[in-house]
C-alpha cells in the first residue's frame, strides 16, 4: 500500500480543486520569488512544455511586481492533456490546457493563453 501526503491547502471552493491522473512528463523552473512552476505534458512531449514554462515563470514575476502582490502559494502546475471539453481551465494551483500541437497553435497563441489564464487565476483569487 502506498500513502501519499499533501501540503495543507488554503480554504477554497471545492470546484477549484483539480486532480489529473495518468502518465505525464514534466519540466519545471523557479520564479524569481521562489514559486515552483511545473508544466506536465503527455509522455514524450516534455520538451514542448518549455515555452509554456518560460511564459508562466516570467508572467508570475511580472504580475508580482506590477500588482505588488506575491503569488500566495509555493507552486503552480500546468497540465497539457489530449482532450478536455472546456478547452482550458484555471484551478487554484493547476491550469489545465488541451494539448496543442505546433501545427494548430503558434508560440504567440500559446503564450497569450498562458498569460491570460495566469492573470485570470491571480485576479480571481484577490
Amino acid at each position: 500500500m502506498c500513502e501519499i501526503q499533501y501540503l495543507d491547502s488554503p480554504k477554497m471552493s471545492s470546484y477549484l480543486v483539480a486532480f489529473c491522473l495518468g502518465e505525464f512528463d514534466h519540466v519545471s523552473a523557479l520564479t524569481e520569488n521562489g514559486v515552483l512552476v511545473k508544466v506536465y505534458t503527455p509522455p514524450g512531449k516534455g520538451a514542448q512544455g518549455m515555452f509554456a514554462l518560460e511564459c508562466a515563470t516570467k508572467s508570475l514575476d511580472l504580475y508580482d511586481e506590477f500588482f505588488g502582490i506575491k503569488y500566495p502559494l509555493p507552486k503552480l502546475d500546468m497540465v497539457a492533456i489530449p482532450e478536455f471539453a472546456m478547452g482550458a481551465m484555471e484551478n487554484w494551483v493547476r491550469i489545465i490546457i488541451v494539448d496543442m500541437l505546433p501545427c494548430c497553435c503558434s508560440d504567440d497563441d500559446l503564450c497569450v493563453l498562458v498569460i491570460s489564464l495566469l492573470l485570470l487565476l491571480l485576479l480571481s483569487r484577490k
Side-chain angles (χ1 to χ4, degrees):
M1 176 159 33
C2 177
E3 181 179 323
I4 299 173
Q5 295 183 343
Y6 297 92
L7 297 174
D8 289 340
S9 296
K11 290 182 182 182
M12 69 179 96
S13 298
S14 60
Y15 76 91
L16 295 175
V17 177
F19 289 94
C20 294
L21 303 175
E23 293 185 35
F24 296 96
D25 287 345
H26 79 277
V27 291
S28 61
L30 287 173
T31 66
E32 292 177 6
N33 292 313
V35 176
L36 177 61
V37 179
K38 290 184 182 179
V39 176
Y40 291 88
T41 65
K45 295 186 177 183
Q48 292 182 3
M50 290 302 296
F51 186 72
L53 179 66
E54 183 180 344
C55 288
T57 54
K58 288 181 178 181
S59 296
L60 278 181
D61 288 334
L62 176 69
Y63 293 154
D64 285 350
E65 182 180 324
F66 183 82
F67 292 111
I69 301 170
K70 302 292 184 216
Y71 181 74
L73 298 171
K75 70 174 195 153
L76 171 68
D77 295 331
M78 298 191 327
V79 184
I81 56 177
E83 295 180 29
F84 184 61
M86 304 305 289
M89 178 175 283
E90 77 289 346
N91 298 90
W92 185 236
V93 294
R94 182 166 291 116
I95 294 175
I96 300 170
I97 303 171
V98 174
D99 179 25
M100 290 176 258
L101 299 174
C103 64
C104 304
C105 182
S106 71
D107 284 350
D108 289 343
D109 292 339
L110 178 59
C111 194
V112 167
L113 176 64
V114 169
I115 291 169
S116 300
L117 288 170
L118 283 172
L119 182 59
L120 181 60
L121 173 74
L122 295 173
L123 293 179
S124 66
R125 306 300 172 250
K126 297 300 169 203

